[in-house]
């Protein structure tokens, strides 16, 4: 089912059908803060008031023309200005295919540098999300190039990839901040661990490489076992709670989010917003059968639901 949903997340035909549907829109709102920057800013403001920082993500990937990529870059610059004006504790996450990586590496690099230069000037930070494995090498290389010129940039490592350990070492060598996650795309067993137990073991291994590095990293997961392993490790190694942060997705495991903040850990919430929410929504359904069941139950007419 996970593989099927991830495949469907790339469907250009299904996207408009799902996005028009009122039930999908309602269910998606659990994971997406809204369609406008105002919605995301409001969500960040609420989270800040509850002791959680934010990372805003303007949804959109695989743009097919240069104008779309330039528009997205302008959107990110405007987002940084708004964050500064509103004095929010928030940075930004973006995807390279939204900035034209499918069209031209040099266009994409030009736009990323423009955004990162702007963010660095404001004392802020750009996180380059990691997409499917077709983009891993280019994302690592582009991040390294930009990182040699600006401090305000980092990327994401996916623990399901066999190559992740080598990439972690490589990026640590240029002082790059990383977010560690398990990985959300459909990848073949030739390049990614197929079993959850192996992904989890690699996650813990990479966490132990990242956190003693003296660089500020993000431990992005909702998995209580990964969180506990991190807590145990930082206690054992005397790594301060201000030297790293946990990260979670908007709308997911809010109980654990509150608990971590109560315990005095730093926590950043990834806040996606925008009209192009279909692939993101499908990846969230794929992660958890209960999400899909909830969605399908709500698609049924109310009378059928009550009878079921
Ligand atoms: P796992 O999938 O094992 O889930 C553990 C538990 O968390 C579940 O039992 C459930 O309780 C809860 N949970 C997880 N997903 C849920 C969901 N969708 N709905 C409800 N509950 C859920 N991936 C990527 O490839 N590139 C990226 O750039 C990013 N960026 C990113 C940023 C941040 C801040 C986070 C938290 C995650 C990402 N991811 C990502 C997604 C990541 O790779 C992964 O798919 C999800 O975080 C789910 O993995 P967990 O670590 O939560 O564990």
């Amino acid at each position: 089912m996970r593989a099927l949903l991830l495949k469907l997340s790339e469907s250009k035909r299904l996207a408009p059908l799902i996005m028009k549907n009122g039930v999908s829109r309602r269910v998606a709102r659990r994971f997406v803060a809204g369609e406008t920057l105002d919605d995301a800013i409001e969500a960040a403001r609420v989270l800040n008031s509850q002791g959680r920082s934010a990372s805003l993500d303007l949804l959109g990937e695989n743009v097919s023309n240069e104008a779309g990529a330039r528009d997205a870059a302008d959107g990110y610059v405007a987002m940084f200005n708004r964050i500064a004006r509103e004095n929010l504790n928030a940075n930004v996450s973006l995807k390279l295919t939204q900035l034209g990586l499918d069209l031209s590496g040099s266009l994409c690099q030009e736009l990323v540098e423009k955004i990162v230069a702007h963010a660095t000037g404001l004392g802020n930070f750009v996180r380059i999300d990691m997409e499917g494995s077709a983009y891993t090498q280019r994302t690592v290389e582009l991040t390294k190039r930009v990182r040699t010129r600006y401090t305000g940039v980092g990327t994401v490592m996916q623990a399901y990839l066999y190559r992740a350990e080598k990439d972690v070492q490589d990026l640590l060598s240029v002082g790059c901040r990383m977010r560690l996650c398990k990985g959300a795309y459909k990848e073949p067993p030739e390049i990614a661990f197929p079993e959850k137990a192996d992904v989890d073991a690699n996650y813990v291994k990479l966490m132990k490489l990242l956190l003693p590095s003296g660089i500020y990293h993000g431990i992005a997961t909702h998995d209580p076992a990964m969180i506990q392993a991190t807590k145990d490790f930082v206690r054992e190694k005397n790594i301060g709670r201000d030297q790293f942060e946990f990260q979670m997705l908007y709308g997911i495991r809010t109980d654990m989010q509150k608990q971590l903040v109560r315990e005095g850990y730093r926590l950043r919430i990834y806040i996606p917003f925008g009209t192009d929410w279909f692939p993101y929504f499908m990846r969230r359904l794929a992660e958890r059968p209960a999400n899909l069941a909830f969605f399908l139950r709500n698609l049924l007419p109310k009378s059928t639901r009550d009878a079921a």
Side-chain angles (χ1 to χ4, degrees), residues 96 105-106 108-118 120 126 128 138-154 171 174 176:
L96 294 185
S106 58
C108 183
Q109 169 141 357
E110 174 203 323
L111 297 179
V112 172
E113 286 206 9
K114 172 180 160 175
I115 299 167
V116 173
H118 191 73
T120 307
V126 175
I128 300 178
R138 282 177 285 170
T139 303
V140 169
E141 283 170 4
L142 190 147
T143 305
K144 270 180 84 176
R145 279 197 300 273
V146 179
R147 177 62 188 83
T148 56
R149 299 191 56 200
Y150 302 98
T151 51
V153 67
L171 287 164
V174 294
C176 185

PDB file of all heavy atoms in Angstrom, residues 96 105-106 108-118 120 126 128 138-154 171 174 176:
ATOM      1  N   LEU A  96      14.683  21.565  -4.252  1.00  0.00           N
ATOM      2  CA  LEU A  96      15.420  22.032  -5.432  1.00  0.00           C
ATOM      3  C   LEU A  96      14.618  21.875  -6.723  1.00  0.00           C
ATOM      4  O   LEU A  96      14.773  22.673  -7.640  1.00  0.00           O
ATOM      5  CB  LEU A  96      16.757  21.289  -5.549  1.00  0.00           C
ATOM      6  CG  LEU A  96      17.763  21.562  -4.427  1.00  0.00           C
ATOM      7  CD1 LEU A  96      19.093  20.874  -4.725  1.00  0.00           C
ATOM      8  CD2 LEU A  96      17.981  23.063  -4.219  1.00  0.00           C
ATOM      9  N   GLY A 105      20.744  22.868 -13.865  1.00  0.00           N
ATOM     10  CA  GLY A 105      21.486  22.940 -12.599  1.00  0.00           C
ATOM     11  C   GLY A 105      21.921  24.364 -12.297  1.00  0.00           C
ATOM     12  O   GLY A 105      21.911  24.807 -11.147  1.00  0.00           O
ATOM     13  N   SER A 106      22.312  25.114 -13.333  1.00  0.00           N
ATOM     14  CA  SER A 106      22.841  26.463 -13.067  1.00  0.00           C
ATOM     15  C   SER A 106      21.715  27.415 -12.671  1.00  0.00           C
ATOM     16  O   SER A 106      21.900  28.278 -11.802  1.00  0.00           O
ATOM     17  CB  SER A 106      23.650  26.988 -14.248  1.00  0.00           C
ATOM     18  OG  SER A 106      22.842  27.001 -15.384  1.00  0.00           O
ATOM     19  N   CYS A 108      19.032  26.537 -11.060  1.00  0.00           N
ATOM     20  CA  CYS A 108      18.679  26.152  -9.692  1.00  0.00           C
ATOM     21  C   CYS A 108      19.699  26.738  -8.713  1.00  0.00           C
ATOM     22  O   CYS A 108      19.337  27.334  -7.694  1.00  0.00           O
ATOM     23  CB  CYS A 108      18.629  24.626  -9.604  1.00  0.00           C
ATOM     24  SG  CYS A 108      18.118  24.027  -8.016  1.00  0.00           S
ATOM     25  N   GLN A 109      20.982  26.590  -9.037  1.00  0.00           N
ATOM     26  CA  GLN A 109      22.016  27.118  -8.129  1.00  0.00           C
ATOM     27  C   GLN A 109      21.900  28.636  -7.986  1.00  0.00           C
ATOM     28  O   GLN A 109      22.026  29.186  -6.890  1.00  0.00           O
ATOM     29  CB  GLN A 109      23.403  26.734  -8.655  1.00  0.00           C
ATOM     30  CG  GLN A 109      24.484  27.479  -7.887  1.00  0.00           C
ATOM     31  CD  GLN A 109      25.705  26.632  -7.615  1.00  0.00           C
ATOM     32  OE1 GLN A 109      25.751  25.451  -7.937  1.00  0.00           O
ATOM     33  NE2 GLN A 109      26.705  27.243  -7.010  1.00  0.00           N
ATOM     34  N   GLU A 110      21.649  29.316  -9.106  1.00  0.00           N
ATOM     35  CA  GLU A 110      21.507  30.789  -9.056  1.00  0.00           C
ATOM     36  C   GLU A 110      20.376  31.168  -8.076  1.00  0.00           C
ATOM     37  O   GLU A 110      20.533  32.059  -7.237  1.00  0.00           O
ATOM     38  CB  GLU A 110      21.182  31.300 -10.466  1.00  0.00           C
ATOM     39  CG  GLU A 110      20.877  32.789 -10.543  1.00  0.00           C
ATOM     40  CD  GLU A 110      20.032  33.121 -11.790  1.00  0.00           C
ATOM     41  OE1 GLU A 110      20.241  32.509 -12.856  1.00  0.00           O
ATOM     42  OE2 GLU A 110      19.134  34.007 -11.663  1.00  0.00           O
ATOM     43  N   LEU A 111      19.243  30.449  -8.183  1.00  0.00           N
ATOM     44  CA  LEU A 111      18.089  30.806  -7.343  1.00  0.00           C
ATOM     45  C   LEU A 111      18.332  30.451  -5.876  1.00  0.00           C
ATOM     46  O   LEU A 111      17.982  31.220  -4.978  1.00  0.00           O
ATOM     47  CB  LEU A 111      16.824  30.115  -7.873  1.00  0.00           C
ATOM     48  CG  LEU A 111      16.412  30.541  -9.288  1.00  0.00           C
ATOM     49  CD1 LEU A 111      15.172  29.788  -9.753  1.00  0.00           C
ATOM     50  CD2 LEU A 111      16.153  32.050  -9.360  1.00  0.00           C
ATOM     51  N   VAL A 112      18.966  29.291  -5.654  1.00  0.00           N
ATOM     52  CA  VAL A 112      19.250  28.913  -4.258  1.00  0.00           C
ATOM     53  C   VAL A 112      20.196  29.947  -3.641  1.00  0.00           C
ATOM     54  O   VAL A 112      19.994  30.407  -2.516  1.00  0.00           O
ATOM     55  CB  VAL A 112      19.870  27.493  -4.174  1.00  0.00           C
ATOM     56  CG1 VAL A 112      20.329  27.192  -2.760  1.00  0.00           C
ATOM     57  CG2 VAL A 112      18.855  26.452  -4.622  1.00  0.00           C
ATOM     58  N   GLU A 113      21.227  30.339  -4.394  1.00  0.00           N
ATOM     59  CA  GLU A 113      22.191  31.309  -3.841  1.00  0.00           C
ATOM     60  C   GLU A 113      21.520  32.632  -3.524  1.00  0.00           C
ATOM     61  O   GLU A 113      21.828  33.279  -2.524  1.00  0.00           O
ATOM     62  CB  GLU A 113      23.347  31.526  -4.818  1.00  0.00           C
ATOM     63  CG  GLU A 113      24.272  30.340  -4.806  1.00  0.00           C
ATOM     64  CD  GLU A 113      25.700  30.674  -5.224  1.00  0.00           C
ATOM     65  OE1 GLU A 113      26.017  31.864  -5.366  1.00  0.00           O
ATOM     66  OE2 GLU A 113      26.476  29.725  -5.406  1.00  0.00           O
ATOM     67  N   LYS A 114      20.596  33.020  -4.384  1.00  0.00           N
ATOM     68  CA  LYS A 114      19.881  34.280  -4.139  1.00  0.00           C
ATOM     69  C   LYS A 114      19.107  34.194  -2.816  1.00  0.00           C
ATOM     70  O   LYS A 114      19.161  35.105  -1.977  1.00  0.00           O
ATOM     71  CB  LYS A 114      18.922  34.520  -5.317  1.00  0.00           C
ATOM     72  CG  LYS A 114      17.966  35.679  -5.141  1.00  0.00           C
ATOM     73  CD  LYS A 114      17.087  35.795  -6.379  1.00  0.00           C
ATOM     74  CE  LYS A 114      15.822  36.584  -6.054  1.00  0.00           C
ATOM     75  NZ  LYS A 114      14.995  36.832  -7.213  1.00  0.00           N
ATOM     76  N   ILE A 115      18.432  33.068  -2.609  1.00  0.00           N
ATOM     77  CA  ILE A 115      17.632  32.914  -1.382  1.00  0.00           C
ATOM     78  C   ILE A 115      18.549  32.806  -0.159  1.00  0.00           C
ATOM     79  O   ILE A 115      18.313  33.446   0.866  1.00  0.00           O
ATOM     80  CB  ILE A 115      16.723  31.656  -1.484  1.00  0.00           C
ATOM     81  CG1 ILE A 115      15.757  31.785  -2.658  1.00  0.00           C
ATOM     82  CG2 ILE A 115      15.936  31.445  -0.192  1.00  0.00           C
ATOM     83  CD1 ILE A 115      15.054  30.480  -3.038  1.00  0.00           C
ATOM     84  N   VAL A 116      19.610  31.994  -0.296  1.00  0.00           N
ATOM     85  CA  VAL A 116      20.496  31.783   0.854  1.00  0.00           C
ATOM     86  C   VAL A 116      21.229  33.082   1.210  1.00  0.00           C
ATOM     87  O   VAL A 116      21.400  33.399   2.393  1.00  0.00           O
ATOM     88  CB  VAL A 116      21.495  30.627   0.580  1.00  0.00           C
ATOM     89  CG1 VAL A 116      22.522  30.519   1.696  1.00  0.00           C
ATOM     90  CG2 VAL A 116      20.744  29.306   0.430  1.00  0.00           C
ATOM     91  N   ALA A 117      21.649  33.845   0.206  1.00  0.00           N
ATOM     92  CA  ALA A 117      22.327  35.117   0.480  1.00  0.00           C
ATOM     93  C   ALA A 117      21.370  36.034   1.259  1.00  0.00           C
ATOM     94  O   ALA A 117      21.763  36.675   2.243  1.00  0.00           O
ATOM     95  CB  ALA A 117      22.742  35.785  -0.832  1.00  0.00           C
ATOM     96  N   HIS A 118      20.127  36.072   0.829  1.00  0.00           N
ATOM     97  CA  HIS A 118      19.132  36.915   1.494  1.00  0.00           C
ATOM     98  C   HIS A 118      18.911  36.451   2.938  1.00  0.00           C
ATOM     99  O   HIS A 118      18.916  37.256   3.868  1.00  0.00           O
ATOM    100  CB  HIS A 118      17.834  36.852   0.697  1.00  0.00           C
ATOM    101  CG  HIS A 118      16.828  37.863   1.127  1.00  0.00           C
ATOM    102  ND1 HIS A 118      16.959  39.205   0.844  1.00  0.00           N
ATOM    103  CD2 HIS A 118      15.690  37.740   1.857  1.00  0.00           C
ATOM    104  CE1 HIS A 118      15.935  39.865   1.375  1.00  0.00           C
ATOM    105  NE2 HIS A 118      15.149  38.990   1.998  1.00  0.00           N
ATOM    106  N   THR A 120      20.909  34.577   4.835  1.00  0.00           N
ATOM    107  CA  THR A 120      22.114  34.758   5.649  1.00  0.00           C
ATOM    108  C   THR A 120      22.228  36.220   6.081  1.00  0.00           C
ATOM    109  O   THR A 120      22.570  36.511   7.230  1.00  0.00           O
ATOM    110  CB  THR A 120      23.374  34.307   4.878  1.00  0.00           C
ATOM    111  OG1 THR A 120      23.172  32.967   4.411  1.00  0.00           O
ATOM    112  CG2 THR A 120      24.606  34.323   5.768  1.00  0.00           C
ATOM    113  N   VAL A 126      18.355  28.491   5.500  1.00  0.00           N
ATOM    114  CA  VAL A 126      17.588  27.750   4.484  1.00  0.00           C
ATOM    115  C   VAL A 126      17.902  26.266   4.600  1.00  0.00           C
ATOM    116  O   VAL A 126      19.069  25.865   4.556  1.00  0.00           O
ATOM    117  CB  VAL A 126      17.996  28.192   3.054  1.00  0.00           C
ATOM    118  CG1 VAL A 126      17.294  27.340   1.999  1.00  0.00           C
ATOM    119  CG2 VAL A 126      17.698  29.658   2.841  1.00  0.00           C
ATOM    120  N   ILE A 128      17.574  22.799   2.715  1.00  0.00           N
ATOM    121  CA  ILE A 128      17.239  22.177   1.427  1.00  0.00           C
ATOM    122  C   ILE A 128      16.728  20.772   1.698  1.00  0.00           C
ATOM    123  O   ILE A 128      17.486  19.892   2.119  1.00  0.00           O
ATOM    124  CB  ILE A 128      18.469  22.154   0.494  1.00  0.00           C
ATOM    125  CG1 ILE A 128      18.936  23.598   0.234  1.00  0.00           C
ATOM    126  CG2 ILE A 128      18.138  21.434  -0.808  1.00  0.00           C
ATOM    127  CD1 ILE A 128      20.182  23.704  -0.642  1.00  0.00           C
ATOM    128  N   ARG A 138      22.939  15.437  -6.771  1.00  0.00           N
ATOM    129  CA  ARG A 138      22.935  16.856  -7.147  1.00  0.00           C
ATOM    130  C   ARG A 138      22.627  17.747  -5.951  1.00  0.00           C
ATOM    131  O   ARG A 138      23.140  18.852  -5.825  1.00  0.00           O
ATOM    132  CB  ARG A 138      21.930  17.096  -8.277  1.00  0.00           C
ATOM    133  CG  ARG A 138      22.470  16.652  -9.632  1.00  0.00           C
ATOM    134  CD  ARG A 138      21.471  16.810 -10.733  1.00  0.00           C
ATOM    135  NE  ARG A 138      20.433  15.788 -10.698  1.00  0.00           N
ATOM    136  CZ  ARG A 138      19.338  15.815 -11.435  1.00  0.00           C
ATOM    137  NH1 ARG A 138      19.105  16.838 -12.231  1.00  0.00           N
ATOM    138  NH2 ARG A 138      18.454  14.841 -11.366  1.00  0.00           N
ATOM    139  N   THR A 139      21.781  17.234  -5.033  1.00  0.00           N
ATOM    140  CA  THR A 139      21.440  18.038  -3.849  1.00  0.00           C
ATOM    141  C   THR A 139      22.654  18.175  -2.935  1.00  0.00           C
ATOM    142  O   THR A 139      22.949  19.259  -2.432  1.00  0.00           O
ATOM    143  CB  THR A 139      20.252  17.388  -3.091  1.00  0.00           C
ATOM    144  OG1 THR A 139      19.161  17.271  -4.005  1.00  0.00           O
ATOM    145  CG2 THR A 139      19.834  18.217  -1.901  1.00  0.00           C
ATOM    146  N   VAL A 140      23.365  17.054  -2.745  1.00  0.00           N
ATOM    147  CA  VAL A 140      24.561  17.093  -1.889  1.00  0.00           C
ATOM    148  C   VAL A 140      25.593  18.051  -2.501  1.00  0.00           C
ATOM    149  O   VAL A 140      26.154  18.917  -1.817  1.00  0.00           O
ATOM    150  CB  VAL A 140      25.152  15.672  -1.712  1.00  0.00           C
ATOM    151  CG1 VAL A 140      26.523  15.725  -1.060  1.00  0.00           C
ATOM    152  CG2 VAL A 140      24.203  14.803  -0.889  1.00  0.00           C
ATOM    153  N   GLU A 141      25.819  17.920  -3.800  1.00  0.00           N
ATOM    154  CA  GLU A 141      26.848  18.760  -4.454  1.00  0.00           C
ATOM    155  C   GLU A 141      26.464  20.236  -4.396  1.00  0.00           C
ATOM    156  O   GLU A 141      27.293  21.096  -4.091  1.00  0.00           O
ATOM    157  CB  GLU A 141      27.019  18.333  -5.925  1.00  0.00           C
ATOM    158  CG  GLU A 141      27.829  17.059  -6.057  1.00  0.00           C
ATOM    159  CD  GLU A 141      27.797  16.493  -7.480  1.00  0.00           C
ATOM    160  OE1 GLU A 141      27.199  17.148  -8.377  1.00  0.00           O
ATOM    161  OE2 GLU A 141      28.355  15.402  -7.683  1.00  0.00           O
ATOM    162  N   LEU A 142      25.199  20.530  -4.709  1.00  0.00           N
ATOM    163  CA  LEU A 142      24.791  21.941  -4.709  1.00  0.00           C
ATOM    164  C   LEU A 142      24.874  22.531  -3.299  1.00  0.00           C
ATOM    165  O   LEU A 142      25.367  23.647  -3.100  1.00  0.00           O
ATOM    166  CB  LEU A 142      23.366  22.063  -5.279  1.00  0.00           C
ATOM    167  CG  LEU A 142      22.894  23.484  -5.567  1.00  0.00           C
ATOM    168  CD1 LEU A 142      21.963  23.516  -6.779  1.00  0.00           C
ATOM    169  CD2 LEU A 142      22.178  24.101  -4.380  1.00  0.00           C
ATOM    170  N   THR A 143      24.445  21.740  -2.316  1.00  0.00           N
ATOM    171  CA  THR A 143      24.515  22.242  -0.937  1.00  0.00           C
ATOM    172  C   THR A 143      25.961  22.546  -0.559  1.00  0.00           C
ATOM    173  O   THR A 143      26.249  23.583   0.042  1.00  0.00           O
ATOM    174  CB  THR A 143      23.927  21.208   0.053  1.00  0.00           C
ATOM    175  OG1 THR A 143      22.604  20.875  -0.354  1.00  0.00           O
ATOM    176  CG2 THR A 143      23.890  21.756   1.474  1.00  0.00           C
ATOM    177  N   LYS A 144      26.864  21.630  -0.918  1.00  0.00           N
ATOM    178  CA  LYS A 144      28.283  21.853  -0.577  1.00  0.00           C
ATOM    179  C   LYS A 144      28.809  23.131  -1.221  1.00  0.00           C
ATOM    180  O   LYS A 144      29.506  23.917  -0.587  1.00  0.00           O
ATOM    181  CB  LYS A 144      29.130  20.668  -1.071  1.00  0.00           C
ATOM    182  CG  LYS A 144      29.269  19.569  -0.041  1.00  0.00           C
ATOM    183  CD  LYS A 144      30.096  18.427  -0.557  1.00  0.00           C
ATOM    184  CE  LYS A 144      31.579  18.661  -0.400  1.00  0.00           C
ATOM    185  NZ  LYS A 144      32.365  17.473  -0.826  1.00  0.00           N
ATOM    186  N   ARG A 145      28.456  23.312  -2.496  1.00  0.00           N
ATOM    187  CA  ARG A 145      28.948  24.517  -3.201  1.00  0.00           C
ATOM    188  C   ARG A 145      28.431  25.781  -2.515  1.00  0.00           C
ATOM    189  O   ARG A 145      29.166  26.721  -2.277  1.00  0.00           O
ATOM    190  CB  ARG A 145      28.490  24.505  -4.668  1.00  0.00           C
ATOM    191  CG  ARG A 145      29.354  23.646  -5.578  1.00  0.00           C
ATOM    192  CD  ARG A 145      29.136  23.991  -7.052  1.00  0.00           C
ATOM    193  NE  ARG A 145      27.758  23.792  -7.470  1.00  0.00           N
ATOM    194  CZ  ARG A 145      27.262  22.633  -7.910  1.00  0.00           C
ATOM    195  NH1 ARG A 145      28.037  21.573  -7.978  1.00  0.00           N
ATOM    196  NH2 ARG A 145      26.006  22.531  -8.272  1.00  0.00           N
ATOM    197  N   VAL A 146      27.138  25.785  -2.192  1.00  0.00           N
ATOM    198  CA  VAL A 146      26.562  27.003  -1.596  1.00  0.00           C
ATOM    199  C   VAL A 146      27.109  27.186  -0.177  1.00  0.00           C
ATOM    200  O   VAL A 146      27.393  28.301   0.258  1.00  0.00           O
ATOM    201  CB  VAL A 146      25.012  26.926  -1.603  1.00  0.00           C
ATOM    202  CG1 VAL A 146      24.406  28.172  -0.968  1.00  0.00           C
ATOM    203  CG2 VAL A 146      24.494  26.776  -3.037  1.00  0.00           C
ATOM    204  N   ARG A 147      27.303  26.072   0.532  1.00  0.00           N
ATOM    205  CA  ARG A 147      27.783  26.157   1.920  1.00  0.00           C
ATOM    206  C   ARG A 147      29.199  26.749   1.996  1.00  0.00           C
ATOM    207  O   ARG A 147      29.555  27.385   2.986  1.00  0.00           O
ATOM    208  CB  ARG A 147      27.754  24.757   2.563  1.00  0.00           C
ATOM    209  CG  ARG A 147      28.305  24.673   3.992  1.00  0.00           C
ATOM    210  CD  ARG A 147      27.499  25.530   4.965  1.00  0.00           C
ATOM    211  NE  ARG A 147      28.116  25.616   6.277  1.00  0.00           N
ATOM    212  CZ  ARG A 147      29.096  26.466   6.611  1.00  0.00           C
ATOM    213  NH1 ARG A 147      29.573  27.309   5.712  1.00  0.00           N
ATOM    214  NH2 ARG A 147      29.583  26.466   7.833  1.00  0.00           N
ATOM    215  N   THR A 148      29.989  26.548   0.955  1.00  0.00           N
ATOM    216  CA  THR A 148      31.344  27.124   1.004  1.00  0.00           C
ATOM    217  C   THR A 148      31.286  28.654   0.921  1.00  0.00           C
ATOM    218  O   THR A 148      32.230  29.327   1.300  1.00  0.00           O
ATOM    219  CB  THR A 148      32.245  26.592  -0.145  1.00  0.00           C
ATOM    220  OG1 THR A 148      31.578  26.858  -1.371  1.00  0.00           O
ATOM    221  CG2 THR A 148      32.521  25.118   0.004  1.00  0.00           C
ATOM    222  N   ARG A 149      30.168  29.213   0.456  1.00  0.00           N
ATOM    223  CA  ARG A 149      30.051  30.681   0.348  1.00  0.00           C
ATOM    224  C   ARG A 149      29.183  31.294   1.432  1.00  0.00           C
ATOM    225  O   ARG A 149      29.352  32.457   1.773  1.00  0.00           O
ATOM    226  CB  ARG A 149      29.483  31.045  -1.026  1.00  0.00           C
ATOM    227  CG  ARG A 149      30.404  30.574  -2.160  1.00  0.00           C
ATOM    228  CD  ARG A 149      30.005  31.138  -3.498  1.00  0.00           C
ATOM    229  NE  ARG A 149      29.951  32.589  -3.498  1.00  0.00           N
ATOM    230  CZ  ARG A 149      29.282  33.306  -4.382  1.00  0.00           C
ATOM    231  NH1 ARG A 149      28.612  32.689  -5.332  1.00  0.00           N
ATOM    232  NH2 ARG A 149      29.275  34.613  -4.325  1.00  0.00           N
ATOM    233  N   TYR A 150      28.220  30.537   1.934  1.00  0.00           N
ATOM    234  CA  TYR A 150      27.271  31.093   2.919  1.00  0.00           C
ATOM    235  C   TYR A 150      27.080  30.122   4.081  1.00  0.00           C
ATOM    236  O   TYR A 150      27.017  28.908   3.872  1.00  0.00           O
ATOM    237  CB  TYR A 150      25.896  31.340   2.269  1.00  0.00           C
ATOM    238  CG  TYR A 150      25.937  32.257   1.086  1.00  0.00           C
ATOM    239  CD1 TYR A 150      25.965  31.728  -0.203  1.00  0.00           C
ATOM    240  CD2 TYR A 150      25.959  33.640   1.240  1.00  0.00           C
ATOM    241  CE1 TYR A 150      26.006  32.558  -1.310  1.00  0.00           C
ATOM    242  CE2 TYR A 150      26.007  34.476   0.137  1.00  0.00           C
ATOM    243  CZ  TYR A 150      26.031  33.932  -1.135  1.00  0.00           C
ATOM    244  OH  TYR A 150      26.081  34.756  -2.230  1.00  0.00           O
ATOM    245  N   THR A 151      26.919  30.688   5.258  1.00  0.00           N
ATOM    246  CA  THR A 151      26.707  29.807   6.420  1.00  0.00           C
ATOM    247  C   THR A 151      25.244  29.366   6.543  1.00  0.00           C
ATOM    248  O   THR A 151      24.965  28.321   7.129  1.00  0.00           O
ATOM    249  CB  THR A 151      27.066  30.548   7.729  1.00  0.00           C
ATOM    250  OG1 THR A 151      26.378  31.802   7.727  1.00  0.00           O
ATOM    251  CG2 THR A 151      28.559  30.742   7.863  1.00  0.00           C
ATOM    252  N   GLY A 152      24.327  30.170   5.997  1.00  0.00           N
ATOM    253  CA  GLY A 152      22.900  29.938   6.285  1.00  0.00           C
ATOM    254  C   GLY A 152      22.242  28.888   5.426  1.00  0.00           C
ATOM    255  O   GLY A 152      21.127  29.097   4.923  1.00  0.00           O
ATOM    256  N   VAL A 153      22.888  27.749   5.254  1.00  0.00           N
ATOM    257  CA  VAL A 153      22.269  26.690   4.443  1.00  0.00           C
ATOM    258  C   VAL A 153      22.640  25.316   4.990  1.00  0.00           C
ATOM    259  O   VAL A 153      23.729  25.109   5.517  1.00  0.00           O
ATOM    260  CB  VAL A 153      22.694  26.802   2.949  1.00  0.00           C
ATOM    261  CG1 VAL A 153      24.175  26.498   2.762  1.00  0.00           C
ATOM    262  CG2 VAL A 153      21.840  25.903   2.067  1.00  0.00           C
ATOM    263  N   GLY A 154      21.702  24.402   4.889  1.00  0.00           N
ATOM    264  CA  GLY A 154      21.953  23.013   5.279  1.00  0.00           C
ATOM    265  C   GLY A 154      21.019  22.124   4.488  1.00  0.00           C
ATOM    266  O   GLY A 154      20.153  22.618   3.746  1.00  0.00           O
ATOM    267  N   LEU A 171      29.468  15.953   4.130  1.00  0.00           N
ATOM    268  CA  LEU A 171      28.889  17.266   4.462  1.00  0.00           C
ATOM    269  C   LEU A 171      29.409  17.794   5.800  1.00  0.00           C
ATOM    270  O   LEU A 171      29.534  19.008   5.984  1.00  0.00           O
ATOM    271  CB  LEU A 171      27.359  17.192   4.434  1.00  0.00           C
ATOM    272  CG  LEU A 171      26.795  17.108   3.000  1.00  0.00           C
ATOM    273  CD1 LEU A 171      25.350  16.643   3.005  1.00  0.00           C
ATOM    274  CD2 LEU A 171      26.899  18.453   2.283  1.00  0.00           C
ATOM    275  N   VAL A 174      32.449  20.017   5.455  1.00  0.00           N
ATOM    276  CA  VAL A 174      32.333  21.444   5.099  1.00  0.00           C
ATOM    277  C   VAL A 174      31.489  22.195   6.147  1.00  0.00           C
ATOM    278  O   VAL A 174      30.997  23.287   5.894  1.00  0.00           O
ATOM    279  CB  VAL A 174      31.746  21.658   3.680  1.00  0.00           C
ATOM    280  CG1 VAL A 174      32.692  21.144   2.620  1.00  0.00           C
ATOM    281  CG2 VAL A 174      30.355  21.037   3.526  1.00  0.00           C
ATOM    282  N   CYS A 176      28.516  21.507   7.383  1.00  0.00           N
ATOM    283  CA  CYS A 176      27.113  21.677   6.979  1.00  0.00           C
ATOM    284  C   CYS A 176      26.143  21.173   8.052  1.00  0.00           C
ATOM    285  O   CYS A 176      26.313  20.067   8.585  1.00  0.00           O
ATOM    286  CB  CYS A 176      26.895  20.892   5.689  1.00  0.00           C
ATOM    287  SG  CYS A 176      25.270  21.124   4.998  1.00  0.00           S
TER     288      CYS A 176
END
